[in-house]
């Protein structure tokens, strides 16, 4: 088998893509619509453009026929001024990816605004004191290294709903009557403030363990983090303050994700809104919304510009080392997967127990929050160089990558799961990193000239006083505004001026209320496309006259197709060359004429003889009514004795039936089928049981004879077929059908029905049966008793024969004895 050469295959693919692109471009009515359609479309603004030679219009992906090439509007995406500044004005086209480079330096001295989120479940009890002490040390270390840093504290449990959490109320707590607010979903505790004393006092007062989750992992981490982001203003975070915002999570468990809320009957999806500014409101609302997905939380972290650091401790079972190792491995996999999913805005700080072996001996492997390890991670984040988008990012695919070798000496390349460099870690001060930014409109999103989206590029988690990069996006359709009024390049014959508008991009741009090729019409209400309803097709509602003609004062003037033939129809919706034709080229198979179906924008056939031929089949075939027996009222074609009705209206009979409507039978096989037909059984039933008008209705289609005449050999007829009709209720009757004429029928007037059984016979039979059953039960029971007694007697006799009894004293017998009691007072 021969295969296409790469060159030929490449040509075929190119031609296919070109044709596909041109289909998007064709018939776009304005320059704006053309530029917005695709990055491969461009507009011919020349006034000498010949529409008769180019029926697809001024918009195309190949314009060899545009008289003046300098009249082509085919600009590519670009940045105003050609240089990247802090404010970038990006002119972008749909389907086109644009890249530019940004220069970024690390900002290692920015202070942190750090919110501690502590897991308050019971499994954290044994580590609580250590966490308290280390958290205070960490807060002090952060403030010393990054002057101006602030810290806050929050404690969270799970949703107070089974199976997510069970309140652990001891007898002492029940006696003390602790209120429900002591078991919150999220206790905000303290805001992010520059007050070490307040933070230390808040964390010293922390009491946890009210939720019994010993066997109830995971936890509500994602839900609480999502609410902390939504309620940032209530937590004391400040915007545009040259600070780095960070949420520090301390836990020992994995987490619930989107969809898990259904276990507790919670189905409402999470939202980006703050559910309350108090602990009570947060707890009440937590059981109303499902947990968020990782993707949802990633978007929230990007938009709110917050960095997430998760420090994961061991479980409370410190004496079961093998269990700790197994549990730590589970947490390690879960949080590494979370870090990969939120790459660039989330960090996982593993417990030294399951981290790099080189850490062993340096830190305590059971330390739940090691200050040294966490500080190293924060220092790494402060010297990281990467860019994270925020703002109006929902319409774009935005990527920020670093070319190999572009990370400065002494720094470390940080790669995502695909191996792409997305950040430089530990970048020395004042070293600049070049980051390549790529922007493309998402598939399915159409950016228009009316859109003005704006997004920002900043270091992860950083809230600068001034945005590092602001990108304002404009669609290139605005270039159409620069075509200008009529000039030497766009002047055309007959269009030296527009009556009530200006010649722009080769066509008239009409003033409000006017329309038409020369803006000389204003006598009809206009659609959103600036043309009257009379020119609006029923299928294509975007362009006037279905894109196949010009709308002139409410009337469509149709253009020509590729063969030079004019389009037809009130709104030019039909191509006359698309009319159905037979094998010999005759329109509608020579049995009709074509017309434009305005409902479907297609050429349809109208048959000359509509009674005989079927218009839905383009007059090629006859109507199926030609296969209906006019002598019998049946909805079935060919008396339901055929495999179908042919295109010529002829019945294709089966079971040896014959005739125009399969009404004749000439063999035993079809006569056997006759007896089973419902029409005969129905007729016999009406004749013998019901009578009246229904009988007359059926009788008029048959020639009825008596049985004697039908079976009399002297009448010269052929033998008749004897059939049996089951009439229900235990009745049946015989009827005869003429072999030569299936419409001749003879019915035996004798109706044969089963005689009913007399009531007294039924009673007697029932009584006898009852007596017989009773006697059999008594006899059976007696036989059972006799057999059981015989078995017991044999067992007794066998026991008697084998038992050896010895004569002797009765072991229960005691001899009599006499004791005399003396009176102690007697002195005789």
């Amino acid at each position: 088998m021969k295969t296409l050469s790469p060159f030929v295959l490449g040509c075929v693919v190119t031609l296919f893509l070109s044709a596909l692109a041109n289909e998007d471009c064709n018939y776009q009515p304005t320059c704006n619509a053309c530029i917005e359609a695709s990055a491969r479309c461009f507009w011919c603004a020349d006034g000498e453009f010949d529409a008769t030679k180019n029926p697809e219009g001024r918009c195309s992906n190949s314009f060899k026929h545009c008289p003046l090439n300098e009249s082509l509007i085919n600009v590519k995406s670009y940045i105003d001024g050609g240089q990247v500044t802090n404010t970038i004005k990006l002119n972008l086209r749909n389907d086109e990816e644009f890249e530019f480079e940004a220069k970024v330096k690390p900002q290692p001295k920015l202070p942190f605004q750090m919110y501690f989120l502590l897991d308050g479940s019971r499994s954290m009890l044994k580590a609580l004191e250590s966490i308290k002490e280390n958290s205070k040390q960490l807060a002090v270390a952060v403030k010393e290294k990054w002057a101006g840093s602030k810290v806050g504290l929050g404690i969270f449990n799970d949703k107070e709903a089974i199976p997510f959490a069970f309140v652990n109320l001891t007898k002492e707590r029940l006696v003390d009557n602790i209120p429900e607010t002591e078991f919150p979903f999220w206790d905000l505790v303290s805001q992010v403030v520059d007050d070490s004393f307040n933070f230390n006092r808040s964390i010293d007062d922390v009491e946890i363990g009210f939720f019994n989750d010993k066997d109830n992992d995971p936890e509500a981490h994602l839900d609480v983090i999502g609410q902390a982001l939504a309620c940032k203003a209530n937590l004391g975070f400040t915007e545009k303050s040259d600070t780095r915002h960070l949420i520090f999570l301390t836990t020992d468990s994995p987490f619930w994700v989107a969809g898990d809320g259904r276990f507790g009957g919670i189905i409402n999806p999470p939202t980006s809104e703050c559910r309350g500014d108090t602990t009570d409101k947060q707890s009440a609302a937590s059981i109303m919304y499902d947990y968020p997905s990782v993707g949802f939380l990633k978007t929230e972290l990007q938009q709110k510009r917050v960095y997430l650091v998760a420090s994961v401790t061991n479980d409370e079972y410190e004496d079961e080392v093998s269990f700790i190792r197994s549990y730590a491995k589970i947490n390690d996999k879960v949080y590494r997967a979370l870090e990969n999913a939120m790459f660039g805005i989330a960090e996982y700080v593993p417990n030294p127990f399951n981290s790099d072996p080189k850490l062993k001996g340096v830190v305590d492997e059971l330390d739940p929050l090691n200050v040294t390890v966490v500080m190293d991670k924060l220092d790494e984040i402060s010297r990281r160089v990467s860019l994270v988008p925020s703002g109006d990012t929902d319409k774009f695919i935005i990527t920020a990558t670093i070319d190999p070798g572009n990370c400065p000496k002494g720094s470390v390349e940080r790669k995502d799961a695909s191996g792409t460099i997305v950040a430089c870690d530990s970048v020395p001060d004042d070293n600049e990193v070049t980051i390549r930014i790529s922007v493309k409109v998402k598939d399915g999103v159409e950016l228009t000239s009316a859109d003005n989206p704006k997004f920002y590029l900043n270091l992860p988690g950083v809230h600068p006083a001034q945005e590092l990069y602001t990108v304002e996006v404009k669609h290139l359709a605005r270039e159409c505004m620069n075509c200008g009024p009529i000039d030497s390049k766009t002047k055309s014959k007959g269009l030296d001026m527009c009556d009530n508008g200006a010649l722009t991009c080769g066509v008239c741009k009409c003033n409000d209320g006017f329309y038409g090729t020369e803006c000389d019409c204003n006598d009809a209400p206009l659609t959103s496309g600036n043309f009257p309803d009379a020119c609006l097709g029923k299928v294509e509602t975007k362009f006037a006259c279905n894109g196949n003609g010009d709308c002139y004062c409410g009337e469509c003037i149709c253009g020509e197709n590729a063969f030079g033939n004019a389009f037809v129809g009130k709104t030019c919706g039909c191509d006359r060359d698309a009319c159905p034709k037979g094998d010999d080229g005759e329109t509608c198979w020579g049995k009709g004429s074509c017309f434009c179906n305005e409902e479907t924008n297609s050429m349809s056939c109208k048959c000359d003889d509509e009674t005989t031929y079927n218009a839905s089949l383009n007059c090629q075939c006859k109507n199926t009514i030609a296969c209906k027996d006019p002598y019998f009222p049946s909805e079935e074609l060919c008396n339901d004795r055929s495999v179908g009705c042919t295109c010529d209206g002829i019945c294709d009979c089966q079971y040896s039936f014959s005739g125009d409507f399969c009404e004749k039978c000439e063999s035993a096989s079809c006569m056997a089928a006759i007896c089973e037909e419902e029409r005969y059984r129905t007729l016999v039933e009406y004749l013998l049981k019901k009578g009246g008008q229904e009988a007359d209705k059926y009788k008029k289609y048959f020639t009825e004879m008596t049985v004697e005449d039908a079976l009399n050999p002297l009448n010269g007829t052929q033998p008749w077929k004897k059939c049996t009709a089951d009439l229900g209720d235990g009745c049946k009757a015989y009827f005869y059908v003429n072999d030569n004429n299936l419409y001749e029928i003879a019915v035996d007037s004798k109706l044969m029905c089963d005689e009913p059984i007399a009531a007294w016979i039924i009673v007697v039979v029932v009584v006898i049966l009852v007596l017989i059953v009773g006697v059999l039960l008594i006899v059976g029971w007696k036989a059972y008793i006799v057999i059981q007694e015989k078995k017991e007697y044999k067992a007794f006799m066998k026991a008697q024969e084998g038992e050896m009894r010895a004569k002797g004293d009765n072991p229960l017998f005691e001899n009599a004895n006499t004791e005399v009691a003396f009176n102690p007072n007697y002195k005789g």
Side-chain angles (χ1 to χ4, degrees), residues 47-266:
E48 298 293 336
F49 178 80
D50 190 351
T52 61
K53 295 181 179 179
N54 304 287
E56 71 276 7
R58 292 176 175 268
C59 187
S60 177
N61 71 334
S62 175
F63 255 127
K64 297 179 181 179
H65 50 267
C66 193
L68 294 174
N69 287 333
E70 56 265 36
S71 298
L72 286 176
I73 298 177
N74 185 30
V75 291
K76 299 296 184 181
S77 300
Y78 67 95
I79 293 176
D80 284 356
Q83 295 183 349
V84 176
T85 59
N86 293 102
T87 299
I88 302 170
K89 295 185 178 181
L90 175 59
N91 296 271
L92 191 64
R93 293 190 67 167
N94 292 332
D95 300 334
E96 187 174 22
E97 183 176 3
F98 185 78
E99 291 186 352
F100 62 91
E101 293 182 347
K103 307 289 186 180
V104 185
K105 291 182 179 181
Q107 300 185 33
K109 297 182 180 180
L110 287 182
F112 282 93
Q113 291 189 357
M114 192 169 173
Y115 186 67
F116 285 75
L117 264 180
L118 175 60
D119 183 351
S121 56
R122 181 177 177 271
S123 58
M124 297 285 286
L125 272 174
K126 287 190 176 182
L128 179 60
E129 295 305 319
S130 178
I131 291 175
K132 287 182 178 180
E133 186 62 31
N134 289 354
S135 296
K136 290 188 286 186
Q137 293 180 16
L138 180 60
V140 172
V142 169
K143 290 185 177 183
E144 289 179 351
K145 185 164 186 176
W146 293 282
S149 294
K150 301 178 181 180
V151 292
L153 175 65
I155 304 171
F156 70 91
N157 292 288
D158 212 328
K159 298 177 185 292
E160 193 172 349
I162 297 174
F164 308 119
F166 301 87
V167 178
N168 185 31
L169 291 177
T170 61
K171 292 182 179 180
E172 293 77 11
R173 289 179 178 140
L174 288 172
V175 171
D176 293 341
N177 193 25
I178 296 178
E180 290 184 1
T181 53
E182 291 295 326
F183 321 111
F185 162 72
W186 172 35
D187 190 348
L188 282 62
V189 185
S190 66
Q191 291 184 327
V192 178
V193 295
D194 186 16
D195 187 347
S196 298
F197 176 76
N198 181 61
F199 177 78
N200 292 344
R201 183 180 58 185
S202 297
I203 202 165
D204 283 336
D205 293 340
V206 166
E207 184 176 0
I208 66 173
F210 295 143
F211 273 113
N212 183 7
D213 67 340
K214 180 176 180 180
D215 300 315
N216 190 49
D217 293 315
E219 306 285 359
H221 311 344
L222 301 189
D223 201 9
V224 177
I225 294 171
Q227 277 303 289
L229 294 171
C231 304
K232 274 186 65 180
N234 300 329
L235 299 181
F237 286 104
T238 56
E239 305 293 332
K240 295 185 178 182
S241 53
D242 281 334
T243 57
R244 185 176 274 109
H245 293 184
L246 186 141
I247 291 178
F248 187 81
L249 171 70
T250 302
T251 183
D252 66 343
S253 303
F255 43 82
W256 299 106
V257 294
D260 290 338
R262 291 177 295 178
F263 294 130
I266 303 173

Side-chain angles (χ1 to χ4, degrees), residues 10 107 120 171 192 198 251 400 457 463 628 641 749 796 824:
Q107 300 185 33
K171 292 182 179 180
V192 178
N198 181 61
T251 183
L457 296 169
H463 286 254
K628 289 188 178 181
R641 296 167 182 165
S749 60
F796 172 76

Side-chain angles (χ1 to χ4, degrees), residues 35 47 160 199 222 230 233 235 401 427 450 461 482 541 630 658 689 767 776:
I35 299 301
E160 193 172 349
F199 177 78
L222 301 189
L235 299 181
T401 59
V427 177
N482 300 328
T541 59
S658 60
K689 294 184 66 176
V767 171
L776 290 175

Side-chain angles (χ1 to χ4, degrees), residues 11 69 96 102 200 275 386 415:
C11 291
N69 287 333
E96 187 174 22
N200 292 344
R275 300 198 288 252
S386 64
K415 300 179 179 180

Side-chain angles (χ1 to χ4, degrees), residues 484-511:
I486 187 168
D487 56 27
S488 60
K489 295 179 182 178
T490 59
K491 192 170 183 178
S492 62
K493 297 176 182 179
L495 284 178
D496 292 344
M497 61 180 296
C498 301
D499 291 348
N500 297 286
L503 189 64
T504 306
C505 297
V507 295
C508 280
K509 184 178 181 181
C510 303
N511 298 332

